[in-house]
């Protein structure tokens, strides 16, 4: 039983990180109907910003998160402006292929020696690891930070989407961009903000991931990106609560699969889930045809 | 107030508006009638910036607004109540009304607009917290008009507000339109229900496959045999 509970805690750790990434996929899909395949790479850039901010500049943790947030948001806004906006009216397949191109560009461009470099780099721990807990169950301070930071981000996001003017505009655009424009919403601006917001969350996720799994590389975003995308589809793409739910399920299933079956199943399980959802319930758990998209 | 001058609009190859000219003076209610597919919605979409005319000018208060994006047109003081209501079904009634005021700074004036909408549509006040998608068709139409009123517009474009409503509700909606007009908004009303539209407007235009074929005072149009047979068959 203790072993099981421990695995659940470990599953929450990775599940929360997936949630931070999955939100960006789902929000962007909600407002523009685009699967931004470069989103996992934005997460990677967040991790590298963390690496430099901690390892080179020894900034306090709060400043590290702030930098990663801003850096990733700016990156995503530029990406949308340069790569996706010109294709807004083009057939969907064009933006999809562009997204894959942007993803590859980010992975290989940042692998240049002049940028982040092609190797695995160890992510400096900003604090010593400690843990508490009864019996065989333990909660590390890393996990505590992941839970705390992610829950605060989710709270902040919920507040922005539900209670602010910009959040209301996001929901309006996600429901009907033409009518949103008619009532005076600057749709392009809302789309930029959505990209920025999703990327900011991925940036936070990147730093947390680096702290928890302290090795970074410019291709590190690929697998978590795919899993978070699966989580968003599982929860119902376009739905914010769905993305979080899907991510938590993903975290649990891969942790439990590697604990009780074999760690080689860890990555496989994600794709079994993806294929299963697509076959059985393509709209996802919370993604009924009429759920709100953002 | 609004001058549409020789405007041409295309959907791809389809020539949807063929050199349309039309004007609406300050304080007027002007109707634009025509059969299905005549291009009425297209006229309103061109004015509010959803479609860019290929040629021609659209002047609002003397300023050329053709080619401006919709949110900038809205900021000039034009509110468009789209065809088929177009409320944000995923948001509450109150949030829909707040969206209507999204170009304005929140404050006392916006609160006054909200009070005005609620006093004119008491039903909306009762249902403020209800999701707009769960309202009846008539209530959604009222909400769409209420949302447009929240912008405190100097001009309102209405696209078939009577569509799909019972005669009693149509009566009520048209009464509402005259009140909005009396409160200071100039109105361009698109309708298929010509007799209702004529009852509240002094001037009208008739659109047929992308061209204005008849225009004039509604009193004259009512007696025009062509208009009678095509659009007022029920009179
Ligand atoms: N998005 C579009 N793409 C292509 N053609 C369109 C589009 N919208 C309208 N049309 C065509 O343009 C013409 C005018 O359409 P419009 O919607 O303006 O007519 P309408 O007068 O509003 O008709 P209704 O009374 O049925 O609303 C029609 O022939 C229509 O098929
Ligand atoms: Mg129409």
């Amino acid at each position: 039983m203790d072993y099981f509970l421990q695995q659940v805690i470990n599953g929450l750790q990775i599940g929360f990180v997936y949630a931070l990434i999955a939100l960006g996929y789902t929000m962007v899909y909600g407002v523009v109907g685009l699967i931004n395949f470069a989103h996992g790479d934005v997460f990677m850039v967040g991790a590298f910003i963390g690496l430099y901010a901690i390892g080179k500049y020894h900034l306090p943790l709060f400043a590290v998160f702030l930098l990663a947030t801003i850096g990733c948001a700016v990156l995503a806004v530029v990406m949308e402006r340069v790569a996706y906006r010109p294709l807004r009216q083009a057939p969907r397949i064009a933006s999809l292929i562009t997204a894959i191109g942007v993803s590859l560009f980010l992975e290989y461009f940042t692998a240049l020696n002049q940028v982040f470099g092609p190797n695995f780099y160890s992510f400096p721990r900003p604090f010593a690891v400690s843990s508490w807990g009864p019996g065989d169950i333990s909660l590390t301070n890393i996990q505590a930070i992941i839970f705390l930071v992610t829950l605060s981000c989710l709270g902040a996001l919920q507040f922005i989407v539900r209670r602010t003017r910009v959040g209301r505009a996001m929901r309006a655009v996600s429901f009907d961009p033409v009518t949103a424009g008619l009532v005076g919403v600057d749709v392009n601006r809302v789309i930029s903000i959505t990209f920025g917001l999703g990327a900011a969350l991925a940036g936070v996720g990147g730093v947390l991931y680096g702290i928890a799994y302290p090795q970074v590389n410019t291709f590190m975003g690929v697998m978590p990106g795919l899993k978070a995308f699966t989580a968003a589809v599982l929860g119902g793409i376009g739905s914010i609560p769905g993305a979080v739910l899907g991510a938590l399920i993903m975290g649990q299933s891969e942790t439990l699969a590697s604990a009780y079956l074999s760690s080689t199943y860890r990555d496989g399980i994600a794709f079994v889930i993806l294929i299963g959802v697509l076959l059985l319930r393509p709209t996802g758990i919370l993604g009924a045809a009429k759920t709100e998209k953002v | 107030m609004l001058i549409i001058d020789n405007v041409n609009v295309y959907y791809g190859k389809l020539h949807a508006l063929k050199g349309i000219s039309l004007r609406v003076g300050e304080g007027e209610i002007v109707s634009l009638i025509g059969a299905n597919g005549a291009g009425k919605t297209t006229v309103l979409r061109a004015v509010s910036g959803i479609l860019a005319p290929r040629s021609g000018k659209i002047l609002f208060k003397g300023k050329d607004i053709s080619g401006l994006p919709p949110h900038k047109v809205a900021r000039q003081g034009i509110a468009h109540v789209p065809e088929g209501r177009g409320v944000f079904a995923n948001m509450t009634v109150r949030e829909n009304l707040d969206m209507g005021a999204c170009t304005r700074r929140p404050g006392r004036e916006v609160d006054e607009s909200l009070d005005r909408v609620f006093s004119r549509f008491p039903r909306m006040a009762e249902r403020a917290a209800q999701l707009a998608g769960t309202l009846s068709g008539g209530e959604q139409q009222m909400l769409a008009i209420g949302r447009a009123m929240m912008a405190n517009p100097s001009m309102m474009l209405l696209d078939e507000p009577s569509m799909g409503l019972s005669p009693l509700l149509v009566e009520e909606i048209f009464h509402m339109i005259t009140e909005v007009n009396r409160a200071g908004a100039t109105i361009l009303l698109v309708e298929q229900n010509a007799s209702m539209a004529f009852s509240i407007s002094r001037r009208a235009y008739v659109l047929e496959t992308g061209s204005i074929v008849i225009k004039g005072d509604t009193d004259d149009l009512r007696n025009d045999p062509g208009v009678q047979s095509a659009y007022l068959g029920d009179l």
Side-chain angles (χ1 to χ4, degrees), chain B:
Chain B
M1 185 129 192
L2 178 73
I3 298 175
I4 299 179
D5 183 23
N6 200 18
V7 161
N8 285 285
V9 173
Y10 290 77
Y11 290 110
K13 283 207 176 100
L14 182 91
H15 196 173
L17 296 183
K18 302 164 184 161
I20 296 268
S21 296
L22 168 164
R23 53 178 63 218
V24 185
E26 178 144 20
E28 271 193 304
I29 300 182
V30 171
S31 320
L32 177 62
I33 62 167
N36 287 110
K40 308 180 294 296
T41 298
T42 307
V43 172
L44 298 191
R45 291 175 150 233
V47 172
S48 54
I50 300 172
L51 298 168
R54 187 167 297 178
S55 64
K57 272 207 188 99
I58 300 175
L59 303 173
F60 181 65
K61 293 180 179 166
K63 187 180 168 198
D64 190 355
I65 58 165
S66 52
L68 281 187
H71 70 274
K72 290 203 172 140
V73 174
R75 272 152 224 232
Q76 305 289 319
I78 297 183
H80 181 158
V81 181
E83 191 172 35
R85 291 134 201 165
V87 299
F88 298 112
N90 58 335
M91 299 202 222
T92 65
V93 167
R94 175 63 203 272
E95 286 177 322
N96 268 274
L97 294 174
D98 289 341
M99 282 309 297
C102 76
T103 56
R104 302 169 72 190
R105 211 170 265 292
R108 204 169 45 87
E109 288 182 14
V110 173
D111 294 343
E112 281 169 12
S113 294
L114 186 66
D115 288 342
R116 231 174 344 231
V117 171
F118 278 161
S119 64
R120 204 152 293 171
F121 305 99
R123 201 95 58 90
M124 294 300 117
E126 285 162 29
R127 315 246 154 139
Q130 190 173 325
L131 283 183
T134 64
L135 296 177
S136 75
E139 289 165 347
Q140 289 191 18
Q141 188 59 264
M142 289 181 193
L143 178 57
I145 295 174
R147 186 182 62 195
M149 286 167 63
M150 288 299 291
N152 197 21
S154 44
M155 171 146 213
M156 203 182 279
L157 313 174
L158 291 138
D159 198 345
E160 299 199 39
S162 73
M163 191 164 62
L165 302 185
S166 71
L168 209 66
L169 261 178
V170 172
E171 200 78 57
E172 203 177 324
I173 296 275
F174 274 69
H175 179 67
M176 221 73 80
I177 296 170
T178 54
E179 274 187 32
V180 170
N181 174 247
R182 220 170 300 134
T186 302
I187 286 176
L188 177 57
L189 170 66
V190 158
E191 262 302 335
Q192 288 202 51
N193 187 338
S195 55
M196 273 313 286
F198 287 0
S199 73
I200 63 166
S201 49
R202 276 205 31 241
R203 290 196 310 116
Y205 291 81
V206 179
L207 197 59
E208 241 168 55
T209 56
S211 306
I212 303 271
V213 290
I214 309 172
K215 61 177 178 178
D217 286 352
T218 49
D219 290 336
D220 300 333
L221 294 189
R222 247 188 233 109
N223 299 320
D224 182 302
V227 174
Q228 263 182 2
S229 64
Y231 303 102
L232 296 169
D234 51 352
L235 272 192

Side-chain angles (χ1 to χ4, degrees), chain A residues 11-293:
Chain A
L12 277 178
Q13 166 178 334
I14 188 68
F16 272 154
V17 174
Y18 289 159
L20 288 172
I21 312 173
L23 286 166
Y25 277 108
T26 226
M27 284 165 37
V28 163
Y29 184 84
V31 299
V32 276
L34 166 78
I35 305 289
N36 178 15
F37 278 114
H39 189 59
D41 306 301
V42 172
F43 159 87
M44 171 275 289
V45 170
F48 270 94
I49 293 176
L51 172 92
Y52 291 119
I54 297 171
K56 207 160 167 195
Y57 301 105
H58 310 288
L59 296 179
L61 209 48
F62 175 74
V64 175
F65 283 119
L66 197 67
L67 266 185
T69 304
I70 296 171
C72 290
V74 170
L75 172 65
V77 168
V78 171
M79 186 161 89
E80 190 274 331
R81 187 70 192 78
V82 173
Y84 301 141
R85 190 175 300 179
L87 296 172
R88 190 88 48 76
Q89 314 301 333
R92 246 182 218 201
I93 189 78
S95 351
L96 208 63
I97 292 169
T98 303
I100 294 171
V102 172
S103 168
L104 292 172
F105 170 77
L106 284 178
E107 287 159 15
Y108 286 91
F109 177 75
T110 55
L112 293 176
N113 277 318
Q114 295 79 352
V115 191
F116 298 152
N119 304 315
F120 282 89
Y121 304 94
S122 69
F123 194 97
R125 280 266 154 82
F127 44 77
V129 182
S130 60
S131 64
W132 325 273
D136 290 337
I137 305 178
S138 74
L139 179 75
T140 65
N141 52 353
I142 294 178
Q143 289 170 330
I145 286 182
I146 289 182
F147 297 170
L148 221 71
V149 170
T150 306
L151 289 174
S152 324
C153 286
L154 293 181
L157 180 68
Q158 194 64 12
F159 177 79
I160 292 173
V161 170
R162 292 279 139 202
R163 296 264 173 268
T164 65
R165 280 162 77 87
V166 92
R168 211 163 52 209
M170 281 169 63
R171 283 183 287 142
V173 170
S174 112
F175 184 76
D176 180 355
V178 174
T179 306
L182 284 185
V183 300
V185 175
D186 183 344
V187 175
N188 279 330
R189 188 170 149 264
V190 168
I191 291 173
S192 288
I193 291 173
T194 307
F195 267 85
L197 209 53
L201 294 170
V204 171
V207 174
L208 291 174
Y209 191 87
I211 293 174
Y213 311 93
Q215 257 215 336
V216 296
N217 168 274
T218 65
F219 295 92
M220 67 180 275
V222 176
M223 209 34 112
L226 277 173
K227 289 176 181 170
F229 167 65
T230 305
V233 172
L234 171 63
I237 188 111
S239 155
I240 285 182
V244 176
L245 180 65
L248 293 180
I249 295 175
M250 286 294 296
Q252 291 307 328
S253 28
E254 75 169 50
T255 309
L256 295 177
S258 61
Y260 289 99
L261 301 170
S262 146
S263 63
T264 46
Y265 288 110
R266 182 196 298 270
D267 292 339
I269 192 91
F271 302 105
V272 172
I273 291 178
L274 179 60
I275 293 167
V277 176
L278 291 178
L279 286 177
L280 300 174
R281 192 176 159 79
T283 53
I285 302 172
L286 300 181
K290 64 183 265 289
T291 41
E292 182 176 326
K293 287 190 287 182

